[in-house]
Amino acid sequence: MSGRGAQGSRSRLIVVSNRLPFAFRRAPEGGWIAEPGSGGLISALMPVLRDRGGTWIGWPGAPGGVREFSSALSAAGSDAGYRLVAVPLDEDEVREFYLGFANEVIWPLFHDLPTFCNFDPAYWRTYQRVSEKYARAVASRSHRGDFVWVHDYHLMNVGAEMRALGTEARLGFFLHIPFPAPDIFMKLPWRKPLLEALLQYDLVGFQTARDRRNFLACVDALLPGTRHERRVRVGAFPISIDVDTIVRQAASTEVTRKAAELHRLLPHRTLVLGIDRLDYTKGIPHRLQAFHELLQRC
């Protein structure tokens, strides 16, 4: 691993996620414009890096090489208070890694929807290749003593790839979706290598105690008597949000004015608001059906 830090240097935080916390779009005059991203992961992690500083590594969300995004990344990171590093993905990688393995295998299986799964072997091969790409990006920018915090089901394999590169940084992983019980996890053709990859982290975190129990039960069932050179800690750490910032935003003049406008335009009505991208993983048709049932019962 390159970039070995000096003894006694301050530990740095390096966050790794599938997407960067900014979305990049083409500017009319050329170049890229960075716009704040959205979602639970970004809402939870952005305040941590904003207050502490560090580096966030991820895909910029658009095709292009690292150099192409360098100016926009530098500007967005300077304003945010932490460094941004892009991991470029080509169209095939986006299709087979993100749309394929992440969204057609892991997401539905971990949510107990196996009929939505497409266990295409090409997806797994691309998942491994992209994990290696992320690992190289992290390893070239991390030192011994740094804490690398990898997030969510897209990047479960990154820890194993970083160990293969000889990293000396501390590695943590947090899963933002449920972890399935053994009878569900057993349906995954690549269950053992994925489980072994998760055990390459120093700390593995889950949202709930049930997810933690399911993970340990899968380890007991698939890797009985496994011994590791390193102690792996496993815990449940319910994710939170930056409450103070949200309270300030809710009390802002802009929000107050918009709320008054909605009350004026839609008097004596109850509003039901949902904000999600148009993706089957969000279950939008099911929500609309539930809303339909609610209206029929009222």
Side-chain angles (χ1 to χ4, degrees), residues 123-272:
Y123 291 171
W124 170 244
R125 291 193 293 269
T126 304
Y127 188 80
Q128 291 177 295
R129 187 171 71 250
V130 171
S131 296
E132 183 181 358
K133 181 179 285 191
Y134 273 84
R136 288 198 304 268
V138 178
S140 65
R141 294 166 177 84
S142 60
H143 311 311
R144 181 173 60 183
D146 290 344
F147 183 73
V148 178
W149 196 8
V150 182
H151 285 268
D152 224 3
Y153 58 103
H154 316 84
L155 304 179
M156 290 185 286
N157 213 39
V158 169
E161 297 294 345
M162 289 196 66
R163 296 297 181 197
L165 292 172
T167 183
E168 297 179 11
R170 295 168 295 166
L171 304 181
F173 176 82
F174 187 80
L175 185 66
H176 292 255
I177 64 173
F179 195 90
D183 60 325
I184 299 172
F185 189 72
M186 290 290 186
K187 300 180 189 299
L188 182 66
W190 309 280
R191 51 191 176 271
K192 288 189 71 174
L194 200 60
L195 205 58
E196 289 170 343
L198 286 171
L199 292 175
Q200 295 301 312
Y201 292 98
D202 298 298
L203 174 65
V204 181
F206 301 94
Q207 286 272 19
T208 69
R210 180 180 181 180
D211 297 328
R212 176 183 177 274
R213 288 194 301 269
N214 285 344
F215 173 74
L216 293 176
C218 288
V219 172
D220 288 340
L222 289 168
L223 305 172
T226 301
R227 291 185 176 272
H228 299 273
E229 298 177 357
R230 177 187 59 265
R231 182 180 181 184
V232 182
R233 297 178 59 199
V234 181
F237 312 106
I239 203 163
S240 186
I241 58 174
D242 186 358
V243 176
D244 292 337
T245 297
I246 292 176
V247 169
R248 287 196 300 270
Q249 291 173 342
S252 68
T253 302
E254 181 182 1
V255 171
T256 301
R257 185 185 303 117
K258 190 62 179 178
E261 179 184 353
L262 288 173
H263 283 296
R264 185 177 67 256
L265 295 175
L266 302 168
H268 311 299
R269 298 185 185 182
T270 299
L271 302 182
V272 179

Side-chain angles (χ1 to χ4, degrees), residues 110-131:
F110 280 34
H111 285 86
D112 196 12
L113 297 169
T115 57
F116 285 86
C117 292
N118 177 13
F119 297 114
D120 188 333
Y123 291 171
W124 170 244
R125 291 193 293 269
T126 304
Y127 188 80
Q128 291 177 295
R129 187 171 71 250
V130 171
S131 296

